[in-house]
């Protein structure tokens, strides 16, 4: 087992950088995760930020975390082609120890908008996701991984998520980022026990873990329920640290544990101190486990030398359904309206199984989509 | 992991100048400042400029759900 590296998600954000500065000064941060595609429109990265990235790159402690590729979009787009081109250039400039993306497809009409939402688990979506992962692996020639998604419509989907991730990643010898806050969302939102859900993941595939905070959302559909959302705007809950403590010893190939928090949640001195305290808690826990982890990782997760690729796989029917779903969740006035629109759409009686969707989670996805649509127009 | 003092100083200046911006308050301000070498800088200091962190930021890592 390799030594675990306490790391932070570090982007070009004043609040994040100021919160992280004391941690950098005291040489605590052993790795950084950079969302390399979030500065897409920026002509030049500030020299000092570039130097920070290069410092970790030279030590082979820089990992790339993509946000906008939209892995499961049914149609191959010029934007995805450009994303790969940008990744190629970026990975020639920096040495990434690995590169990751999110599960799902992005809602929103344009490439850089929306939030990732789930797709049906079918042989065709499997083929689509494998095709896209191969393209990423071929571009970067380093290990490639995929993060478990926080959002799900049904309990069945949550239970099958780990297996589907493993199948997706197999052709590229890829790995899972196990986001424990996303996992916590699933435990709460679908009333699951830790042991039940953790058993649904092949933990030998986990090379990175995320920890973060989130928020609670009241439901208008069911007043007795609160939904846990992965908003990254608060400190890490004690429950997530408990999950981390239980999960670490089960992941023989784990390397990075990344603390994520948004800059909007780090505005005050108290919030910055809380972030630093979360990091110290993480570091202390890692130190305890590192004493027991002496051997090297059994899987380097490097993709095979030869990946067979032809024309990008496309599913036009899926694409049309994704457009319809995006429009519905962005424009529906409430959950009942969304249910009506869905039942009248091509998603009805299809592999999407909209008839089984939890109305509270439909309400949640509408809120997520509207949040992103709103930010687009502001 | 060790970060050089001059880099830490440059991060502090860049981030402080950009405190009005956060990941969700997109502001483009690429105003560049000349980095003046100080006693804190080591001989190999390669930093030539300091650009404020007040840059357009696409808000990507915002909590996805």
């Amino acid at each position: 087992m390799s030594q675990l590296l306490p790391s932070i998600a570090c982007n070009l954000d004043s609040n994040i950088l100021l919160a992280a500065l004391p941690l950098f000064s005291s040489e605590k941060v052993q790795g950084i995760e950079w969302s390399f595609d979030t500065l897409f429109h920026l002509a030049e990265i500030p020299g000092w930020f570039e130097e920070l990235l290069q410092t970790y790159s030279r030590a082979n402690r820089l990992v790339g975390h993509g946000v906008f590729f939209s892995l499961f979009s049914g149609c191959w787009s010029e934007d995805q082609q450009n994303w790969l081109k940008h990744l190629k250039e970026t990975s020639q400039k920096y040495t990434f120890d690995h590169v990751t993306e999110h599960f799902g497809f992005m809602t929103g009409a344009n490439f850089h908008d929306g939030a990732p939402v789930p797709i049906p688990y079918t042989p065709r979506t499997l083929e689509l996701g494998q095709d896209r992962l191969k393209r990423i692996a071929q571009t970067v020639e380093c290990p490639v991984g995929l993060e478990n998604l926080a959002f799900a419509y049904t309990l069945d989907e949550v239970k099958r998520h780990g297996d589907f991730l493993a199948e997706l990643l197999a052709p590229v010898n890829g790995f899972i980022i196990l986001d424990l806050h996303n996992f916590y969302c699933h435990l709460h939102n679908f009333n699951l026990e830790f042991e039940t859900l953790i058993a649904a993941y092949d933990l030998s595939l986990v090379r990175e873990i995320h920890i973060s905070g989130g928020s609670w959302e009241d439901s208008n559909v069911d007043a007795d329920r609160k939904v846990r959302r992965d908003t990254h705007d608060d400190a890490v809950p004690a429950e997530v640290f408990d999950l981390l403590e239980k999960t670490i010893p089960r992941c023989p190939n784990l390397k990075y544990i990344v603390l994520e928090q948004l800059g909007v949640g780090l505005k005050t001195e108290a919030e910055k101190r809380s972030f630093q305290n979360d990091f110290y808690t993480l570091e202390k826990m890692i130190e305890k486990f590192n004493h027991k982890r002496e051997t090297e990782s059994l899987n380097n997760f490097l993709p095979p030398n030869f990946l067979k690729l032809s024309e990008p796989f496309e599913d036009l029917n899926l694409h049309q359904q994704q457009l319809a779903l995006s429009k519905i969740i962005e424009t529906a006035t409430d959950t009942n309206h969304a249910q009506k629109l869905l039942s009248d759409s091509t998603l009805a009686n299809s592999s999407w199984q909209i008839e089984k969707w939890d109305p509270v989670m439909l309400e949640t996805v509408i809120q997520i989509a509207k949040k992103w649509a709103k930010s687009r127009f502001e | 992991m060790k970060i050089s003092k001059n880099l830490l100083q440059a991060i502090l200046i860049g981030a402080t100048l950009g405190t009005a911006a956060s990941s969700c308050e997109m502001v483009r301000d690429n105003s560049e400042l000349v980095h003046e070498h100080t006693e804190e800088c080591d001989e190999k200091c390669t930093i030539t400029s300091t650009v404020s962190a007040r840059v357009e930021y696409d808000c990507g890592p915002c909590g996805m759900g």
Side-chain angles (χ1 to χ4, degrees):
Chain A
M1 294 192 234
S2 58
Q3 292 288 289
L4 306 175
L5 302 172
S7 309
I8 58 168
C10 187
N11 292 294
L12 189 55
D13 179 291
S14 304
N15 293 328
I16 294 172
L17 288 160
L18 288 173
L21 204 56
L23 305 174
F24 285 131
S25 298
S26 54
E27 304 177 13
K28 300 282 187 191
V29 183
Q30 299 302 317
I32 60 175
E33 179 170 86
W34 175 43
S35 289
F36 55 86
D37 57 354
T38 57
L39 298 175
F40 213 78
H41 299 301
L42 192 64
E44 195 184 347
I45 300 174
W48 51 269
F49 190 70
E50 198 163 292
E51 184 58 28
L52 179 66
L53 296 174
Q54 286 294 2
T55 300
Y56 281 87
S57 169
R58 284 191 291 269
N60 212 23
R61 299 279 181 87
L62 175 68
V63 296
H65 191 41
V67 177
F68 294 117
F69 185 60
S70 196
L71 200 87
F72 285 97
S73 285
C75 269
W76 177 250
S77 69
E78 193 182 340
D79 288 324
Q80 285 172 310
Q81 191 64 55
N82 288 336
W83 188 94
L84 288 178
K85 184 171 171 279
H86 174 70
L87 175 59
K88 180 85 181 170
E89 289 163 2
T90 309
S91 63
Q92 283 167 345
K93 194 169 182 180
Y94 306 100
T95 302
F96 288 124
D97 195 24
H98 64 229
V99 167
T100 56
E101 244 296 347
H102 291 80
F103 185 88
F105 81 97
M106 301 293 268
T107 61
N110 302 312
F111 178 58
H112 278 94
D113 299 323
V117 295
I119 40 86
Y121 301 165
T122 69
R124 285 184 72 77
T125 55
L126 180 64
E127 192 175 349
L128 177 70
Q130 287 176 336
D131 176 274
R132 303 302 187 257
L133 284 168
K134 283 183 195 170
R135 286 172 204 282
I136 296 175
Q138 197 178 51
T139 301
V140 291
E141 295 175 350
C142 68
V144 168
L146 212 50
E147 179 178 337
N148 60 314
L149 191 58
F151 180 81
Y153 297 108
T154 66
L155 173 61
D156 181 60
E157 203 182 324
V158 171
K159 287 181 174 174
R160 292 176 59 201
H161 194 44
D163 281 345
F164 196 70
L165 282 172
E167 282 187 80
L168 279 166
L169 292 162
V172 294
N173 187 32
F175 66 91
I176 293 173
I177 296 183
L178 186 62
D179 186 310
L180 285 177
H181 188 267
N182 293 353
F183 190 91
Y184 175 60
C185 292
H186 283 169
L187 291 181
H188 174 83
N189 295 339
F190 294 93
N191 198 21
L192 282 164
E193 294 296 325
F194 170 79
E195 292 297 340
T196 307
L197 189 53
I198 203 75
Y201 286 84
D202 178 352
L203 296 178
S204 71
L205 293 179
V206 175
R207 180 174 157 102
E208 180 175 335
I209 282 179
H210 281 176
I211 55 168
S212 65
S215 55
W216 298 102
E217 191 87 34
D218 290 325
S219 169
N220 292 321
V221 174
D222 183 345
D224 293 334
R225 279 179 67 181
K226 274 187 186 292
V227 174
R228 183 69 186 180
R229 284 181 54 183
D230 181 45
T231 44
H232 290 193
D233 51 0
D234 201 359
V236 180
E239 291 90 336
V240 171
F241 276 119
D242 289 344
L243 294 177
L244 181 63
E245 187 147 30
K246 285 193 274 192
T247 306
I248 289 175
R250 303 173 191 222
C251 301
N253 296 311
L254 179 60
K255 184 170 182 182
Y256 292 92
I257 304 181
V258 179
L259 171 63
E260 296 181 297
Q261 192 165 338
L262 279 185
V264 285
L266 294 169
K267 284 180 176 171
T268 67
E269 282 310 306
E271 287 168 338
K272 289 183 178 73
R273 271 198 304 277
S274 174
F275 175 81
Q276 290 151 13
N277 288 337
D278 278 346
F279 188 85
Y280 295 133
T281 306
L282 169 65
E283 192 203 21
K284 205 171 167 186
M285 193 183 293
I286 284 179
E287 205 175 309
K288 190 176 76 181
F289 283 107
N290 270 345
H291 285 303
K292 303 171 195 165
R293 297 171 73 93
E294 287 168 355
T295 55
E296 282 304 301
S297 172
L298 299 172
N299 189 346
N300 60 17
F301 295 106
L302 282 168
N305 287 331
F306 179 72
L307 288 166
K308 193 180 173 191
L309 276 170
S310 49
E311 287 299 303
F313 181 86
E314 292 190 298
D315 186 331
L316 298 181
N317 187 41
L318 178 71
H319 174 66
Q320 291 304 326
Q321 289 171 328
Q322 288 170 334
L323 289 178
L325 176 60
S326 298
K327 190 175 176 187
I328 290 169
I329 60 178
E330 282 190 5
T331 59
T333 51
D334 58 25
T335 311
N336 285 337
H337 185 212
Q339 283 174 321
K340 170 80 174 70
L341 292 171
L342 284 168
S343 63
D344 291 342
S345 75
T346 57
L347 287 95
N349 302 307
S350 71
S351 58
W352 290 82
Q353 297 189 300
I354 58 162
E355 295 77 14
K356 294 182 179 172
W357 286 4
D358 179 348
V360 173
M361 297 314 290
L362 176 59
E363 179 188 30
T364 304
V365 81
I366 291 169
Q367 286 165 344
I368 294 170
K370 286 192 171 163
K371 168 181 158 184
W372 282 85
K374 186 168 168 259
S375 71
R376 235 178 14 245
F377 299 119
E378 279 176 348
Chain B
M1 223 181 81
K2 188 171 175 56
I3 310 285
S4 70
K5 280 184 181 173
N6 47 290
L7 177 55
L8 289 168
Q9 195 182 36
I11 294 170
L12 176 64
I13 295 169
T16 305
L17 288 173
T19 48
S22 73
S23 56
C24 286
E25 295 166 11
M26 301 174 200
V27 181
R28 180 182 284 278
D29 178 1
N30 290 351
S31 52
E32 194 162 330
L33 308 173
V34 175
H35 171 72
E36 292 180 7
H37 295 288
T38 66
E39 287 176 2
E40 298 283 304
C41 298
D42 60 38
E43 288 176 4
K44 292 176 185 171
C45 178
T46 55
I47 296 171
T48 55
S49 66
T50 303
V51 180
S52 159
R54 292 181 61 182
V55 293
E56 183 172 344
Y57 190 74
D58 279 321
C59 214
C62 288
M64 290 306 223

